[in-house]
Amino acid sequence: MTTTASPSPGTPSPPPGLRDFYENPAVPVASGPSRTLRQARMLARALGPAGASGPRTVLDIGCGDGTAAATAAPLLRGHRLIGVDWSQDALARARTRLPYAVRGELGGGGLPFASGAADAVLFSEVLEHLVDPDAALDEIRRVLRPGGHLMLSTPNLAAWYNRALLLAGVQPVFSEVSLRSVHGRPGAEVVGHLRLYTARALREFVAASGFAVVALEGAPFHGVPRVLRPLDRLACAAPSLASILLLHARRT
């Protein structure tokens, strides 16, 4: 996730322990500004200028503090951006960056939007935090119009360094075995990941949920040691090796 998308809209609603964990503003939710900007550019290319087709409605589901939508806003002038999160604390911060930010959940009663109301959905590093990702994509598909765009990002289980770590018997980066502390892998921050995807698994999962995959790109991860960052950027040319997966799909 990034200072962009909070893991908030779990499906069904996370149990109290997870809710408390995700409400804590000290929990890191960032993969870095490069991912945020790359995803925003993908969305801008997909939607095109507002003048050509009129304004489009873009939902940032799991908007957190609104950074993702705020980063995308200059590239989406004329389009309508709405942040969505279940956390009142996150929404209070998002409203300092976005003109529209509303409370909503992917589980329970669903999102507060009519079927087919959205032209695009930003889903930035939320998927890996969900108890029920199938129901989440069902709800996203409901609120998207036919042909609407899904811009999804998530950490890559098969990132280039994770392949080496597994060969060495080390827990992969991004994976979590506890909400209290890190065990068996590099790093010291616990971020609450419940599941991880490879590029192939992500494509198949999204396609099975009623979307046609348009493109899959890679993005670097700011947590990679500085000396290895050039290699991490180079790996983005092969998304299956990249740190972060950026997927563009359309509702069928």
Side-chain angles (χ1 to χ4, degrees):
M1 303 221 331
T2 83
T3 37
T4 69
S6 118
S8 332
T11 45
S13 300
L18 277 177
R19 277 191 178 271
D20 292 342
F21 178 83
Y22 291 139
E23 284 278 11
N24 182 357
V27 172
V29 290
S31 68
S34 179
R35 192 280 298 160
T36 306
L37 186 57
R38 288 179 187 226
Q39 191 175 29
R41 287 170 175 163
M42 288 177 71
L43 178 57
R45 289 196 302 268
L47 289 180
S53 55
R56 301 295 179 89
T57 298
V58 180
L59 306 181
D60 181 4
I61 298 177
C63 68
D65 66 4
T67 301
T71 299
L75 304 177
L76 299 172
R77 295 190 187 281
H79 296 302
R80 185 186 185 205
L81 283 163
I82 303 174
V84 185
D85 209 290
W86 64 253
S87 167
Q88 294 290 4
D89 178 70
L91 289 172
R93 288 177 283 147
R95 287 176 182 131
T96 67
R97 294 181 169 93
L98 304 174
Y100 307 103
V102 300
R103 191 179 188 281
E105 295 191 46
L106 289 167
L111 296 168
F113 302 99
S115 297
D119 298 287
V121 164
L122 270 173
F123 203 45
S124 304
E125 293 174 57
V126 178
L127 190 66
E128 63 272 16
H129 298 264
L130 298 183
V131 174
D132 187 351
D134 301 277
L137 284 199
D138 287 347
E139 180 64 1
I140 288 173
R141 189 174 186 277
R142 182 189 69 79
V143 299
L144 276 172
R145 63 168 174 80
H149 302 277
L150 170 63
M151 296 292 173
L152 185 157
S153 66
T154 191
N156 184 9
L157 174 61
W160 60 275
Y161 41 81
N162 279 345
R163 298 180 186 218
L165 290 172
L166 277 170
L167 283 174
V170 177
Q171 187 83 8
V173 174
F174 308 124
S175 63
E176 306 266 297
V177 300
S178 170
L179 291 180
R180 296 177 180 176
S181 58
V182 169
H183 301 286
R185 68 160 172 82
E189 296 177 331
V190 178
V191 293
H193 290 171
L194 302 181
R195 61 188 74 245
L196 292 174
Y197 298 78
T198 64
R200 177 176 176 177
L202 186 64
R203 282 179 176 272
E204 291 183 3
F205 170 63
V206 171
S209 299
F211 294 86
V213 175
V214 177
L216 183 70
E217 299 183 15
F221 175 49
H222 75 97
V224 169
R226 186 176 299 275
V227 67
L228 296 176
R229 289 180 187 176
L231 184 57
D232 194 41
R233 289 192 295 270
L234 185 63
C236 294
S240 63
L241 297 174
S243 287
I244 307 296
L245 301 171
L246 306 177
L247 183 138
H248 172 204
R250 301 194 75 168
R251 179 187 184 265
T252 56

